[in-house]
Amino acid sequence: MGPVIAPSLLAADFGRLSSETRRVSRSGAEWLHLDIMDGHFVPNISFGPAVVKTVRPLSKLFFDVHLMCAKPEILLEPFAKAGADQMNIHVELGEAVTPLIWKIKSLGRKVSLAINPETPISHVLPYLERIDSLLVMTVHPGFGGQAFIYEVLTKVQQAREWREQKKLNYRIGVDGGIEFKTAAECAEAGADTFISGTGLFAHRNLRAAVKKMRAGVMRET
Ligand code: DX5
Ligand code: ZN
């Protein structure tokens, strides 16, 4: 499974979202990560389907929509229509998870399951056969630019072990505090998908930064 580098638009200049999207498109990254925050599930608000729809024609990249939302059921269809290729929902939503997975699949989109730092990794076990990707949060969701939480690396290792044991092929993503060093450390633990906001956008030459992150994670896999 080749590595995927996914710049997060949350760290872009919001005054220039169109040119920032084009910049990511030309950077050599595979995915564009779009963080949706509703002010309930997390104490912050970002942007909605209208923004995703606006930037969709500017890029052919795979759009990875991360729903940090208390009621994703009302948002799945709008985001599918707006151009999401994959939707991440949080395992912390409990009983809502199974119907959400089916709904995303019925919309013809890929499913990713996200897990917060404080949630035990065992909570994702019942769903592993049904997901395309697992997103291990390496910060508490809600804000960009936070420090990577090292304790979460054992979850990445566990996710890799289960994938091997169960002969599954879900991707293992990491999200939060990912820069060159932490990306390589996550790759060593078993991650193959690297979401990075400030870690990439901090560099004027995004293309060079993506290339450097890719080279770093490839040495570890
Ligand atoms: C955090 C979001 C992340 C965020 C990462 O709530 O889910 O995707 O954009 O930002 P950095 O890479 O700056 O930690
Ligand atoms: Zn995210």
Side-chain angles (χ1 to χ4, degrees), residues 1-13:
M1 205 177 293
V4 161
I5 309 288
S8 169
L9 201 64
L10 193 66
D13 178 348

Side-chain angles (χ1 to χ4, degrees), residues 8 10 33-37 64 66 68 135 137 141 175-176 195:
S8 169
L10 193 66
H33 185 82
L34 299 136
D35 285 304
I36 314 303
M37 304 174 179
D64 180 40
H66 181 188
M68 286 161 273
L135 185 65
M137 293 307 299
D175 184 10
I195 318 302

Side-chain angles (χ1 to χ4, degrees), residues 184-198:
E185 287 163 340
C186 287
E188 198 188 352
D192 50 56
T193 303
F194 306 87
I195 318 302
S196 176
T198 41

Side-chain angles (χ1 to χ4, degrees), residues 171-185:
R171 301 200 70 93
I172 301 174
V174 281
D175 184 10
I178 300 297
E179 29 71 22
F180 302 130
K181 180 169 172 279
T182 50
E185 287 163 340

Side-chain angles (χ1 to χ4, degrees), residues 89-164:
I89 50 155
H90 270 265
V91 74
E92 291 78 19
L93 296 174
E95 283 179 0
V97 170
T98 296
L100 287 167
I101 291 175
W102 289 117
K103 177 79 177 164
I104 296 170
K105 283 181 190 276
S106 77
L107 290 165
R109 300 304 191 271
K110 292 202 165 174
V111 179
S112 178
L113 190 60
I115 178 164
N116 282 342
E118 68 278 12
T119 306
I121 188 69
S122 59
H123 289 211
V124 304
L125 257 177
Y127 310 105
L128 293 180
E129 276 80 9
R130 283 173 275 165
I131 60 174
D132 297 290
S133 187
L134 181 69
L135 185 65
V136 178
M137 293 307 299
T138 41
V139 298
H140 297 286
F143 300 91
Q146 302 179 75
F148 181 84
I149 301 173
Y150 272 91
E151 288 74 13
V152 180
L153 276 178
T154 55
K155 285 178 166 177
V156 175
Q157 290 162 350
Q158 181 66 74
R160 173 168 61 183
E161 268 177 50
W162 282 335
R163 186 172 66 186
E164 270 172 36

